[in-house]
Amino acid sequence: MPANETIPESTAWAVIDPKAYADGVSARDAFAWLRANLPLGKAELEGNFPFWVVTKHADILEISRQNDLFHSGDRSTTFTTPEGDETVRRMTGGSPHLVRTLVQMDAPDHPKYRLLTQSWFLPQNIRPLEERIRKIAREHVDRMAAMGGECDFARDIALTYPLRVIMEVLGVPPEDEPRMLRLTQELFGAADPELNRSGAAAGDNPDAMADLQAIIADFFMYFKKITDDRKAAPRGDLASVIANGQIDGAPISDFEAMSYYVIVATAGHDTTSSSTAGAIWGLCEAPEQFAKLKADPSLIPGLVDESIRWVTPVKHFMRSATADYEMRGRTIRAGDWLWLAYPSGNRDEEVFDDPDAFRIERNPNRHLAFGYGAHLCLGQHLAKMEMRILWEELVPRLQSLELAGEPKLAVASFVGGPKRLPIRYRLS
Ligand code: HEM
């Protein structure tokens, strides 16, 4: 391979190292360098599989929309080491995935499974949830008021609000939420000693795979109860749609129903929490934006989109090529693995003016935080609706807002965002 295809070693490490996303600058700077100098480069790091890093907005879209040429199911959909891959294949009898959710499927299965719940998630079909969500939003704003002008917005509000919403949607009772919260954090925070099961630093836990399997087993055990219940007595919730779903005229298997709950419970929660916290962080960093929002609440949808772009909670998904493909003068070979760098696409100077700035008036805001193509986020309308409702309840009452300490980002190269956000505020 010509040398100019290879990404410099320190830059490639910054792409995969969970810590590089926690300091706020290392991953961001690595991506800025790549976009300018090597927009499609190959990472060849010792002890790792080689993989392409796709950093440009246009290229991420080009790959994401060609689902027959770039598969999700053939190799791990998130980055893993050769040892991690081998362990998973050993545990599963050859599959590179511990769960089989929509994210790990390709056609012909993917569209069939997606169709089961697709219409449930359409804007017109989630609208009836609006009042229930508004009630949860009001409870959270009241909780902020009761905290007397200071809180850790990430931990006290942004973490529990989307959790409550998604659990309501799935039909999980409030008393089981702490368990769901812990499991979700352990799953996505696997590299973060403050969140994971063992308390070990990234790369230092020899039992990481066994922990992951135990976490998934816990999820499965919990949702088996829900499946059995909804089969016996279906209700209007999403759990009933999943439990009683049919594929090719046969009932969906327990394993696949369980995988479905896991993706909704996990994907629907941490991502939205991070974006919600990011909105408040952005407004603290840019007080003139807060003033504009107070003066003109019609900017709330812009705040929602901009915070999702600015945080980009999903840091990557992987694809693998099914055939040779030419892009930017390079040849991606059949079987090659590709890292779709969403945070990089969302800071692409060719698409966004002053991309590091937080600007709620960006219009259009063509961010790709929800992915693109056949796997485009199923929950995007729900995520945006719940964030909009929270801001509709909070912003009119919020008289002042500022940081009261150092924000902290999660140590995560898959899903992450602000996990500590100390703020000071006045609420009417
Ligand atoms: C700001 C919040 C969110 C972000 C940034 C986000 C991001 C993403 C991304 C990037 C994908 C693409 C996966 C791929 O290409 O392989 C995705 C897929 C998905 N998301 Fe979201 N998501 C969010 C909220 C939600 C919510 C609230 C739910 C459910 C209630 C949800 C459920 C899903 C599901 C089921 C998929 C799989 C779709 C498929 O593979 O066909 N997400 N999401």
Side-chain angles (χ1 to χ4, degrees), residues 181-208 211-212 215 411 419:
L181 177 62
R182 189 174 43 77
L183 288 174
T184 312
Q185 287 187 322
E186 286 177 346
L187 193 64
F188 283 151
D192 191 327
E194 283 185 27
L195 300 176
N196 67 19
R197 189 163 270 205
S198 65
D204 283 352
N205 179 10
D207 300 324
D211 281 358
L212 204 60
I215 294 161
V411 181
K419 65 170 181 180

Side-chain angles (χ1 to χ4, degrees), residues 102-103 110 114 121 166 263-264 267-268 271-272 275 308 313-314 317 319 342 369-371 374-379 382-383:
L102 290 181
V103 168
H110 177 259
R114 191 169 159 113
F121 280 107
I166 199 68
I263 179 84
V264 173
T271 47
T272 318
S275 310
I308 296 170
V314 178
F317 268 113
R319 294 289 190 269
Y342 302 119
F370 290 119
H375 291 276
L376 175 68
C377 177
L378 204 52
L382 180 64

